[in-house]
Amino acid sequence: MSVSSSTEGREWPGDEKAVARFLGGDPTGFEQIVRHYSGMVFALAARLVGPWEAEEVVQETFLRAWRGLETFRGDASLKTWLYTIALNRAKARLGTLARMRKVFASPRASSEDDQPWPGEEAPDLSASPEDQAVALEQRARLRKAIRNLPEEFRHAVVLRDLEGLSYDDIARVLSVPIGTVRSRIARGRAALVEELS
Amino acid sequence: VTGDLDLLISRSLDGDLPGEEERELQSLLAADPTARARYDAMAALVGRLEALPEPDSPFALATRINSQVEADTKGLTASLHRFGFYFRPATLGVVAAGIVAVVIASAVMSPQRPSTTVAAAKSPVAKAAEAPDDGRVNVFFSETEKEQKAKKDLAPAQAAPAPAGEAPAAPARVDAGSRSNDAKGRVRQEPVLVASAEAPRPKEEVSFAPERDAPALAASAPAPAAADESVAEGATMQKSVAPETTRLRAAAPQAAGAVRGSASLEVVGKTAGALRPAPPVRLDGLVGPFEGTYRLELDGSGRVTDVARLFGGSGSEPSGLPARLKGLSFAPADAARAAGSVDVKVRLP
C-alpha cells in the first residue's frame, strides 16, 4: 500500500492535477512539478547562462513558481509558464553577473564558453581522439556564437532550435507577436551562419 | 532581399511556410545557386543546433530544489511570499545591516539634545526649579550702612537675632550669575539679602531694581520668619513670573556679627550634579569663618534625616549648622532616593 502511494507520488499526474493538488494544500503537488520540470528548466537555464550558473536560476525559478502558482491561469502549458519565469530569472542573473564581472574583472566569462560542459562527451565515441576534439571544439564554438547573439535573437533561437518550442509558445514566453518571433529566429540564425562561416 | 530570403528559408526549415510560398521558395532555390547555398548553410546550422546535447542536470537537483523551496517558504518568509515579497536570507541580512548602519550613523552624527522632562516642558515653574543643575546655591549677604554700624556697636550680641518688629520690609534680590552686591541696595537702611542661584543660561539671569520694585515689595515682607520662605517662593517665582525680572520679598534682618560676605553650600562627591538643595537653604545667622564637609543621609523624599561631619575642614563649626543642615531637603526626589546620602561642603566666610 505504501509502495503504491509512493509510486503515485512519483508519477507525473499532468499539469492540471499537480497544480490542483498544490493549490489544495498538498505539498507533494509542487514536488511533482519540480521533479518533472526541473531538468527542462535546468537545460534552458544552462543554455542561457551556462551550466555553472544554471542551478541558481532553477532554484529562483521554482521559488517564484511556488509563490505565484496561484496566479497560474492554465491558458498556457505549465512548461511555457515555467520557461517564462526561467527566462526572466536568467536575464536577471546575467545582469548580476555582468555587474560583478565589471567590478571584479572575472576572467571566467571569456573562458567558460570554450570549455566543455560538465559531463559532456564527444558526439561520436567511435571517432578518433582528434576528431572527437574537433567535434567538442565545434560545439564550444557554436555555444559561444549563441552566447554572443543579441539577447532577443538568442532567446528566440534557443527556444526554437534547442528547446523545440513552437512559434506560438515562443511568442507566449517572450510576450511578443508571432511575426516578431519568426523575424527574430530568422535573423538569429542568419547571424549565427555569418558568425560560424 | 537577403533578409526576406532568410526569413523565408527559416520559416521553410520550421515548416511554417504555407504551401504556395513553399513552392515559390523551392523554385527560387532551384534557379539561384546563391540562395541555395544560403538555404544549405542555414539548414546545416539548424541541424547542428538540434544536435547539441541537452545539458545534464546535476545530481539530485529536484531534491535540492524541493528542500530549498521548503526552507524558503516557511514562517515569515512564506507569508511574505504570499504577499508578493521575495527575500532571500542574504537580502534580509543586507537590509538589517543597512538599518543598523543608518541608526549608528544618525546617532553619531546628530548632536545631543538637552534632556528634558514632560513637567519641565509644561510648567515654567518646574523649568525654573530644574534650571540650576550644578547643585549649588550661593547665598550672599550685603552689608548696609546700618548693619555696618551695628557691627561696630553690637559686637557682643552677634548671635542674638533681631526682633521681628524691627525688621522693616527690605528687598531681596535673586541674582543668578552675579556675585556682586547691588550698589543700589547699599543705600537702604536695612540689610539686604542677596541669594544667588547659579543658572547655566545667561538669558535666565534676573535683575532687581530697588528704586523700582521696593514699593511693591515693601508691603509684603513683614516678618523675618517669612523671609526664608519668601526666598524660596521667590526662587520658585524666579522664572515663572517673568523670564528676566523676579521680585522677592525681603529677607530677615541679620543679627550683628552674623555671616558676612557669602555663605555657600555645595554638593560634592558622586552626587554632585545629580542632586541639588531645594530652597530654602538657611545659612543665615551662622558665624564663620568655617569650612566643612558633611554627609547628609536622605529619606525617600530627599529630606535630610541625619548629619555627619566628615574629616577635614577648617574653622570652628557653628553650633546651629548641623540643625540647619538637617532642615534641608534635596531634589530631585528620585535621585535622592537612589543616592541615599549626599555630601555637601559648607563655607561660611
Side-chain angles (χ1 to χ4, degrees):
Chain A
M1 189 69 180
S2 62
V3 172
S4 172
S5 61
S6 171
T7 305
E8 280 178 14
R10 290 192 170 276
E11 287 175 358
W12 174 238
D15 288 358
E16 281 186 24
K17 283 186 180 178
V19 172
R21 193 175 285 179
F22 170 73
L23 296 180
D26 183 356
T28 60
F30 195 78
E31 290 174 12
Q32 287 172 324
I33 292 171
V34 171
R35 211 173 292 123
H36 187 71
Y37 285 113
S38 58
M40 298 181 211
V41 173
F42 179 85
L44 174 64
R47 285 159 172 162
L48 293 174
V49 300
W52 296 274
E53 304 293 337
E55 185 165 344
E56 184 76 18
V57 171
V58 178
Q59 296 268 10
E60 293 183 6
T61 298
F62 280 101
L63 280 169
R64 299 228 167 196
W66 182 91
R67 193 189 72 205
L69 203 53
E70 287 179 357
T71 64
F72 175 66
R73 295 188 300 271
D75 49 0
S77 70
L78 192 56
K79 178 182 176 181
T80 306
W81 186 71
L82 288 170
Y83 272 28
T84 306
I85 299 173
L87 200 75
N88 290 328
R89 291 298 89 213
K91 278 158 59 174
R93 187 70 187 165
L94 285 174
T96 304
L97 290 173
R99 286 191 294 275
M100 288 174 66
R101 283 167 184 154
K102 195 176 287 184
V103 172
F104 298 108
S106 167
R108 191 170 125 181
S110 59
S111 64
E112 67 184 16
D113 292 322
D114 301 328
Q115 299 173 1
W117 283 11
E120 189 174 43
E121 293 177 342
D124 185 3
L125 294 175
S126 62
S128 66
E130 291 79 10
D131 291 342
Q132 290 184 16
V134 169
L136 287 174
E137 186 187 340
Q138 285 178 343
R139 274 188 196 171
R141 205 170 149 223
L142 181 56
R143 288 197 183 103
K144 189 173 184 179
I146 294 170
R147 292 280 295 274
N148 289 337
L149 281 176
E151 184 181 272
E152 56 188 10
F153 299 161
R154 184 170 71 248
H155 290 170
V157 169
V158 166
L159 289 173
R160 173 62 199 156
D161 290 330
L162 301 184
E163 297 298 324
L165 264 61
S166 68
Y167 282 14
D168 287 334
D169 284 344
I170 296 171
R172 284 196 192 95
V173 171
L174 298 179
S175 302
V176 294
I178 195 167
T180 305
V181 172
R182 289 188 183 111
S183 171
R184 287 183 181 178
I185 291 172
R187 293 175 67 184
R189 285 170 174 170
L192 284 176
V193 167
E194 298 298 327
E195 175 76 19
L196 297 170
S197 62
Chain B
V1 176
T2 307
D4 291 341
L5 180 63
D6 287 338
L7 180 59
L8 287 173
I9 293 172
S10 178
R11 290 182 63 188
S12 172
L13 291 172
D14 289 332
D16 188 51
L17 274 182
E20 188 176 343
E21 290 184 44
E22 181 68 33
R23 281 191 295 275
E24 288 178 6
L25 176 65
Q26 293 303 327
S27 51
L28 174 66
L29 294 177
D32 186 351
T34 310
R36 184 75 217 180
R38 187 77 175 173
Y39 181 93
D40 291 342
M42 197 170 281
L45 171 74
V46 171
R48 287 177 63 187
L49 289 171
E50 289 175 349
L52 275 177
E54 185 166 309
D56 290 335
S57 297
F59 177 74
L61 174 66
T63 305
R64 281 202 301 279
I65 292 170
N66 277 321
S67 300
Q68 185 67 41
V69 169
E70 188 181 351
D72 281 17
T73 53
K74 278 182 178 175
L76 176 64
T77 311
S79 303
L80 291 172
H81 283 174
R82 289 288 180 191
F83 287 103
F85 295 99
Y86 175 73
F87 291 121
R88 294 187 64 78
T91 309
L92 291 173
V94 169
V95 170
I99 292 171
V100 170
V102 168
V103 169
I104 291 173
S106 62
V108 168
M109 298 184 70
S110 65
Q112 284 191 337
R113 296 178 179 176
S115 60
T116 184
T117 63
V118 175
K122 288 180 177 177
S123 166
V125 175
K127 196 173 181 180
E130 292 290 331
D133 282 340
D134 59 356
R136 192 169 63 180
V137 173
N138 292 333
V139 181
F140 301 97
F141 295 91
S142 65
E143 292 182 351
T144 64
E145 291 175 355
K146 184 176 179 179
E147 190 177 5
Q148 289 173 352
K149 186 178 179 183
K151 181 180 177 183
K152 293 176 181 175
D153 296 341
L154 302 172
Q158 286 180 353
E166 293 179 13
R173 191 180 68 159
V174 175
D175 189 357
S178 171
R179 293 173 182 271
S180 64
N181 293 334
D182 189 345
K184 292 178 181 177
R186 295 178 187 275
V187 302
R188 301 187 66 83
Q189 297 302 309
E190 297 300 329
V192 175
L193 169 65
V194 179
S196 173
E198 293 182 354
R201 285 173 290 184
K203 72 172 187 178
E204 292 181 353
E205 291 181 6
V206 295
S207 60
F208 173 70
E211 69 277 13
R212 183 187 67 211
D213 296 326
L217 296 172
S220 58
D228 290 334
E229 294 175 5
S230 65
V231 171
E233 182 184 348
T236 305
M237 291 171 62
Q238 179 180 356
K239 299 182 187 68
S240 64
V241 175
E244 298 299 331
T245 304
T246 299
R247 296 174 182 173
L248 189 62
R249 283 184 287 179
Q254 302 303 306
V259 179
R260 300 291 184 264
S262 63
S264 68
L265 183 147
E266 182 182 358
V267 177
V268 297
K270 61 183 180 181
T271 55
L275 287 173
R276 63 182 180 282
V281 180
R282 302 172 66 177
L283 298 179
D284 54 304
L286 300 174
V287 180
F290 168 76
E291 182 176 315
T293 306
Y294 292 83
R295 174 155 296 167
L296 312 179
E297 298 295 328
L298 307 176
D299 63 13
S301 62
R303 290 181 179 171
V304 176
T305 57
D306 195 14
V307 177
R309 184 177 178 185
L310 301 179
F311 183 77
S314 61
S316 59
E317 180 186 79
S319 59
L321 180 56
R324 297 287 184 92
L325 294 176
K326 201 164 185 178
L328 291 175
S329 62
F330 287 79
D334 52 350
R337 193 179 307 115
S341 66
V342 59
D343 293 348
V344 296
K345 179 174 279 187
V346 178
R347 290 191 186 88
L348 300 173

